[in-house]
């Protein structure tokens, strides 16, 4: 049975099916709008197909191998070779599994949208006018007229002119999953979040890893305590971090690669992963012709409710350059729909965004940073509690980490937090809620925590911020 569309309700056209796009579509359809999504690769976009889902699945395998390797301290015994536990990552099987999971997640998203009545067009899209998207599919060209448009076109890995990707030895993070053998020696160029995550993952999988960092330390701009502890963990596990070493070029050497540093030194390995940022997918899709302003970097300019400079055209996700997180993209999309349809809307507040770095151990954060307090930008009190004093961490032999809570001076309101350790991405949620709801440290301290648990360190850190009246 084919249902005729109801042209009396608003029609939203969404270009791009990543988190910003599919969340927009889901919310809009739930609120009664007609929705059409144009996507070229698959629902979920790069976040599901080539980025977040695959990389975090790879990291899950690596983390399991790391825990197995360290299990001897818990009294677990395996078959050994010269006293070392025998473990091996079958990278072909690992990659087949993660790509299968990514495909299944994409299909689940598509099924969910179709159940809500969203029309999905698979093809290349471009903007003809602020109300018209042209989709080129295998069946021809179709024009979609809409009352409002949401742009969620994402981004792609940046390529250096002196380090051209070949998909075999010189790779970006979307090409890693084609490898059939584990890299013997992986050189990672770039020590930001992506570089640190993959360095940690492949070290856990069994590769020799060298991390080339142009900065003084890994994870520049992130919590300094977390970055310093991660570097110590890297050193203990054999990751070679080359600080203050800018990569000038990457060359093929037949059966390997050579990374040429700024001082002329060459670092050789079997493979090189280049992690030097992303470029928004905003070129040649009609944006400027439709009156949509772009920044110098090519990102779409948006305001707090995701509006662009064209009337009834919104944008969400990595193409906006706001904050490259799937959760932020999804929130931008939800805000755009709420604003256009007249639902209750709160402008985007990046001070409340919780994020996580999926290294081993993980580093999660929310709200203001300790650097903000140290610089005088924010008046706050900071307490840091190391996990080495936590009973559950000792039981699990995972004492690398800490809980850090930042409270506003004078009021005791929780305004920021960092959690480093196993499952930090899960533990940060309670503190993110405290920041979002403006809870007092006594509210956190007075909430029962399971004993023993890692979350017990959260309530303990909050207790240490209590001020006797």
């Amino acid at each position: 049975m084919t249902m005729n569309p109801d042209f009396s309700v608003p029609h939203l056209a969404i270009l791009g099916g990543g988190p910003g796009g599919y969340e927009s579509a889901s919310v809009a359809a739930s609120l009664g709008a007609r929705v059409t999504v144009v996507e070229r690769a698959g629902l979920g976009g790069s976040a599901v197909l080539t980025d977040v889902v695959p990389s975090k699945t790879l990291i899950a395998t690596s983390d399991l191998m790391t825990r197995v390797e360290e299990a001897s301290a818990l009294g677990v015994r395996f078959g050994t070779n010269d006293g070392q536990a025998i473990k091996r990552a079958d990278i072909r099987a690992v990659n087949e599994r993660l790509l299968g999971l990514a495909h299944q997640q994409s299909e689940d998203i598509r099924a969910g949208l179709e159940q809500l009545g969203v029309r999905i067009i698979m093809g290349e899209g471009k903007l003809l006018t602020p109300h018209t998207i042209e989709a080129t599919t295998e069946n021809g060209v179709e024009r979609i007229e809409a009352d409002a448009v949401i742009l969620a076109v994402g981004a792609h890995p940046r390529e250096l002119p002196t380090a051209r990707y070949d998909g075999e030895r010189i790779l970006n993070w979307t090409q890693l999953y084609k490898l059939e053998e584990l890299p013997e020696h992986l050189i990672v160029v770039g020590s930001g979040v992506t570089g640190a995550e993959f360095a940690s993952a492949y070290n856990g999988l069994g590769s020799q890893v060298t991390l080339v960092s142009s900065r003084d330390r890994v994870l520049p701009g992130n919590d300094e305590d977390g970055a310093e502890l991660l570097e110590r963990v890297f050193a203990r596990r054999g990751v070679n971090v080359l600080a203050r070493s800018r990569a000038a070029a990457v060359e093929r050497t037949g059966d390997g690669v050579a990374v040429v540093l700024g001082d002329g030194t060459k670092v050789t390995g079997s493979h090189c992963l280049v992690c030097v940022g992303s470029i928004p997918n905003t070129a040649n899709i009609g944006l400027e012709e439709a009156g949509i302003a772009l920044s110098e970097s090519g990102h779409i300019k948006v305001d707090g409710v995701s509006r662009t400079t064209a009337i009834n055209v919104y944008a969400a996700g990595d193409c906006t350059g706001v904050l490259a997180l799937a959760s932020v993209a999804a929130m931008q999309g939800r805000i755009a729909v709420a604003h256009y349809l007249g639902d209750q809307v709160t402008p985007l507040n990046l001070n409340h965004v919780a994020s996580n770095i999926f290294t081993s151990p993980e580093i999660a954060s929310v709200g203001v940073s300790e650097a903000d307090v140290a610089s005088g930008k924010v008046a706050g009190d900071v307490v840091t509690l190391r996990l080495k004093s936590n009973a559950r961490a000792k039981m699990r032999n995972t004492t690398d980490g800490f809980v850090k809570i930042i409270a506003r001076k004078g009021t005791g309101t929780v305004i920021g937090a960092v959690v480093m350790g196993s499952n930090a991405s899960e533990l940060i949620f309670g503190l993110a809620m405290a920041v979002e709801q403006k809870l007092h440290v006594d509210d956190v301290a007075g909430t029962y925590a399971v004993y023993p648990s890692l979350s017990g360190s959260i309530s303990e850190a909050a207790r240490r911020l209590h001020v006797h009246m």
Side-chain angles (χ1 to χ4, degrees), residues 333-404:
R334 290 191 290 265
I335 288 172
V337 170
H339 183 269
Y340 176 69
L341 294 179
D343 198 15
Q344 181 177 353
V345 62
T346 301
L348 186 69
N349 185 350
L350 295 180
N351 290 328
H352 295 173
V353 174
S355 62
N356 189 66
I357 302 168
F358 288 86
T359 48
S360 179
E362 297 177 355
I363 309 172
S365 59
V366 66
V368 305
S369 67
E370 186 173 11
D372 293 331
V373 175
S375 67
K377 181 180 178 182
V378 176
D381 296 310
V382 183
V383 161
T384 301
L385 192 63
R386 301 287 171 179
L387 290 185
K388 63 183 181 181
S389 64
N390 180 284
R392 186 68 185 278
K394 292 175 183 176
M395 295 170 190
R396 298 174 62 179
N397 194 37
T398 56
T399 56
D400 290 319
F402 58 85
V403 170
K404 178 183 295 184

Side-chain angles (χ1 to χ4, degrees), residues 51-62:
D51 193 352
V52 181
V53 170
S55 66
K56 277 43 177 182
T57 307
L58 178 81
I59 288 166
T61 301
S62 170

Side-chain angles (χ1 to χ4, degrees), residues 1-26:
M1 178 179 177
T2 302
M3 298 181 64
N4 294 321
D6 184 355
F7 292 100
S8 66
V9 301
H11 181 205
L12 271 69
I14 301 169
L15 183 54
Y22 73 72
E23 281 284 341
S24 301
S26 177

Side-chain angles (χ1 to χ4, degrees), residues 60-236:
T61 301
S62 170
D63 185 57
L64 177 60
M65 291 186 67
T66 299
R67 285 187 284 133
V68 167
E69 182 173 312
E70 297 176 348
S72 60
L74 297 157
V76 178
R77 299 292 180 259
F78 301 94
T80 60
N81 180 19
D82 295 329
Q84 298 297 316
I86 300 171
K87 65 182 181 70
R88 181 180 67 89
D90 183 343
I91 200 65
R92 180 184 296 181
V94 171
N95 287 339
E96 285 179 356
R97 175 177 180 268
L98 64 84
L99 290 175
L101 285 174
H103 176 74
Q104 184 59 60
Q105 183 68 13
S106 177
E107 289 301 306
D108 288 346
I109 292 169
R110 177 171 188 147
L113 292 182
E114 288 178 337
Q115 191 173 17
L116 289 169
V118 175
R119 184 182 179 219
I120 298 169
I121 300 174
M122 298 305 299
E124 294 278 350
K126 66 179 297 185
L127 210 59
L128 297 183
T129 75
H131 297 281
T132 308
I133 293 176
E134 182 182 82
T136 303
T137 73
E138 59 182 16
N139 298 320
V141 177
E142 178 179 349
R143 290 190 176 184
I144 300 99
E145 301 289 340
D147 300 298
V149 169
I150 298 176
L151 304 168
V153 293
H156 62 276
R158 182 185 302 277
E159 184 176 54
L160 298 175
T162 55
R164 297 294 185 186
Y165 306 127
D166 61 17
E168 296 176 352
R169 298 284 176 174
I170 305 174
L171 309 156
N172 63 42
W173 60 82
T174 71
Q175 298 169 330
L176 283 168
Y177 313 117
K178 297 177 182 178
L179 294 177
E180 296 191 353
E181 294 184 358
L182 186 70
E184 179 183 348
H185 181 186
L186 179 66
I187 304 172
V188 180
V189 174
S191 61
V193 172
T194 303
E197 287 185 344
F198 279 113
S200 178
Y202 276 90
N203 170 249
L205 291 170
S207 294
Q208 179 184 348
V209 176
T210 297
L211 180 60
V212 179
S213 172
S214 62
R215 309 291 286 274
D216 292 340
R217 59 176 174 84
V218 300
L219 300 176
N222 289 274
D223 183 78
E224 188 172 344
D225 288 338
E228 289 179 353
L229 178 52
L230 182 63
E231 285 198 346
R232 293 199 295 272
V233 172
F234 275 176
R236 189 178 74 223

